[in-house]
Every structure is written in structure tokens, then in C-alpha cells.
Amino acid sequence: MFLEPNFRTQRSGWIEVICGSMFSGKTEELIRRLKRAVLANQTVRVFKPEVDSRYGVEKVVSHDENFISSVAIRSSSEMVSLAEDVEVIGIDEAQFLDEELPTICQQLSLKGVRVIVAGLDMDYLGQPFGPVPHLLAVAEYITKVHAICPHCGNLATHSFRLSDAPGRLMLGEKDTYEPRCRQCFSMGNILDFKRNTE
Ligand code: ZN
């Protein structure tokens, strides 16, 4: 488990990234950290890209329906004016934000803000996704969380897309994506075929 550094004794802010595949518990871990900050009476603001409207635009919700209130933004620069006098910032689904996100996060952390970012590190093709890879390079703390591969029981790092809908902006539920380990991900649809014929 990630143990947060002592916010009160650190003079400057920092960046934490929580990344991993679908169903790895990224949002759950983000919410856990943010709620601990709220309990400590720190001022917290949570953002998510407007494209993510699965559960309404004013909440960050994990798959098991734990949630925290959030502000929907279209670009990462909107956070600068919305984050005045805030001690902790949470950002969910960071892979859908623009390439300016790492710069904005660094500016905010220089002002003393603790910035916690959660997002997919890879898309359904296994490629680095949006601004998340860059954030991993500039963050002080990185937590890579894993799901469990339903085919072999190994740790899952990849998000395999079960449907053949075009584009990578699709947001997933259990019937659209499944987490897979590297090996089962590389086998692609062969595994689906085997499962459907068993
Ligand atoms: Zn596997």
C-alpha cells in the first residue's frame, strides 16, 4: 500500500501517479487517498475530463460505486484557475486529457499542491496512452496497480477490448474490456474463440 508522505512538513508539492489497466482499482486508490486528505481537513479538489460521463459529470466513481465529488474539465489548463488555494488535487481518467497536463501538474506542484493523477497507462492496443507516459517521467511517486487475468490468474497489465467498435476513446464496462496479462493479451481473439467453443 502507498503511504502518503507527510503533507504538512513538505515545503513544496509533488506529483503522484496511479496507473494500470482497466479494473485494476486505479480510481478506488485515488478516492482512498483523496478521502484521507479530506479527513485531515485538507482542501481537496477533484477533476476529470468531460468525456467521461459514465456516472454523471460531478462525481468520480469507482467500479464498486465508491465516489467523490468532481469538476468536469475540457482542458487541463482549466485546473489552474479552479485550483486556487487548494492543497490537494485529484485527477481521474487522465489519459483523456491533453498533452499540456504534465506541464500544468508541474506548475501546480511548484505552488505547493499535492497532485494525484489516476489513468490508464496503455490503450487497448498496448500503446502508451495520452499524457500518462509523460506524467510517469516527471512524477515523484508512481503506483502501478494490477487487475487479475481471467484466463490464467496472473497479474493483468493490459486492457483487451472485446468489442470491435472503432476508436480508442471508448470507456469500458465489463462487457467491453477485460484485463489480461501480457501473454494472454498477445493471444488476442484466439482466447475468445476458445472460450466461446468450450
Ligand atoms: Zn493471462
Side-chain angles (χ1 to χ4, degrees):
M1 181 183 288
F2 177 82
L3 297 175
E4 294 85 344
N6 190 329
F7 189 85
R8 298 292 180 192
T9 57
Q10 178 137 347
R11 286 188 183 175
S12 62
W14 66 85
I15 302 170
E16 297 164 33
V17 179
I18 305 161
C19 66
S21 68
M22 302 283 305
F23 313 109
S24 60
K26 298 181 299 297
T27 301
E28 194 64 26
E29 176 60 15
L30 175 69
I31 292 172
R32 186 189 73 83
R33 294 184 196 181
L34 294 172
K35 285 191 170 174
R36 279 165 53 104
V38 170
L39 285 171
N41 296 318
Q42 294 177 348
T43 50
V44 175
R45 188 143 304 151
V46 189
F47 299 98
K48 66 176 186 177
E50 203 172 65
V51 64
D52 180 12
S53 56
R54 275 176 296 179
Y55 299 95
V57 290
E58 286 161 356
K59 282 191 249 177
V60 165
V61 188
S62 66
H63 287 294
D64 63 1
E65 302 196 345
N66 192 2
F67 73 90
I68 192 162
S69 297
S70 68
V71 178
I73 52 171
R74 284 187 191 158
S75 74
S76 46
S77 60
E78 287 176 51
M79 289 192 294
V80 177
S81 58
L82 293 169
E84 298 277 330
D85 303 321
V86 168
E87 289 170 281
V88 183
I89 285 177
I91 304 163
D92 198 22
E93 302 289 0
Q95 74 277 0
F96 293 130
L97 282 166
D98 49 275
E99 295 297 331
E100 210 187 348
L101 181 64
T103 305
I104 301 289
C105 289
Q106 289 180 94
Q107 284 172 5
L108 291 166
S109 64
L110 275 174
K111 288 185 183 172
V113 178
R114 174 187 176 191
V115 183
I116 315 173
V117 190
L120 288 167
D121 45 9
M122 288 182 277
D123 63 14
Y124 74 98
L125 296 171
Q127 296 299 315
F129 203 161
V132 175
H134 192 142
L135 272 167
L136 291 171
V138 300
E140 275 86 348
Y141 303 100
I142 297 166
T143 305
K144 191 149 180 166
V145 285
H146 302 95
I148 294 172
C149 178
H151 299 282
C152 69
N154 283 325
L155 287 181
T157 45
H158 290 64
S159 306
F160 183 77
R161 192 165 71 183
L162 299 167
S163 104
D164 54 4
R168 74 172 181 181
L169 277 181
M170 279 181 66
L171 291 161
E173 287 308 330
K174 271 195 173 134
D175 54 351
T176 315
Y177 291 91
E178 72 178 11
R180 288 191 181 182
C181 71
R182 185 184 299 279
Q183 198 72 29
C184 295
F185 180 80
S186 74
M187 293 176 74
N189 291 323
I190 298 167
L191 280 177
D192 287 332
F193 181 74
K194 269 172 74 181
R195 181 168 50 192
N196 292 337
T197 51
E198 269 166 13

